[in-house]
């Protein structure tokens, strides 16, 4: 078994008033790659955009290949 550090990324999306429908239990998919949502931030509190911190979880990704 190898341990690989997960990679973290910041993703900016348009603000959604129904952001309660979006939480950290969701998985974001981009280019057929799954990312775990680590946190959701409203950085400027002006409700213009949301900043998601996402993580590419290598262990989940590898288990999906098997």
């Amino acid at each position: 078994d190898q341990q690989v550090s997960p990679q973290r990324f910041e993703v900016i999306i348009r603000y959604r008033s129904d952001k309660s429908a979006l939480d950290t239990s969701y998985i974001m998919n981009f280019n057929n790659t799954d990312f775990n949502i680590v946190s959701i931030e409203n950085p400027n509190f002006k409700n213009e955009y949301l900043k998601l911190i996402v993580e590419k979880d290598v262990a989940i990704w590898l288990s999906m290949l098997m």
Side-chain angles (χ1 to χ4, degrees), residues 28-42:
M28 182 187 85
N29 185 286
F30 180 73
N31 283 344
N32 294 323
T33 303
D34 289 334
F35 296 86
N36 295 325
I37 299 175
V38 177
S39 69
I40 303 167
E41 302 171 14
N42 185 357

Side-chain angles (χ1 to χ4, degrees), residues 17-54:
S17 60
D18 65 340
K19 69 179 179 183
S20 62
L22 179 66
D23 64 36
T24 56
S25 68
Y26 283 45
I27 294 175
M28 182 187 85
N29 185 286
F30 180 73
N31 283 344
N32 294 323
T33 303
D34 289 334
F35 296 86
N36 295 325
I37 299 175
V38 177
S39 69
I40 303 167
E41 302 171 14
N42 185 357
N44 61 2
F45 298 103
K46 293 182 181 178
N47 299 338
E48 296 172 346
Y49 63 93
L50 296 173
K51 180 171 79 170
L52 308 179
I53 304 298
V54 299

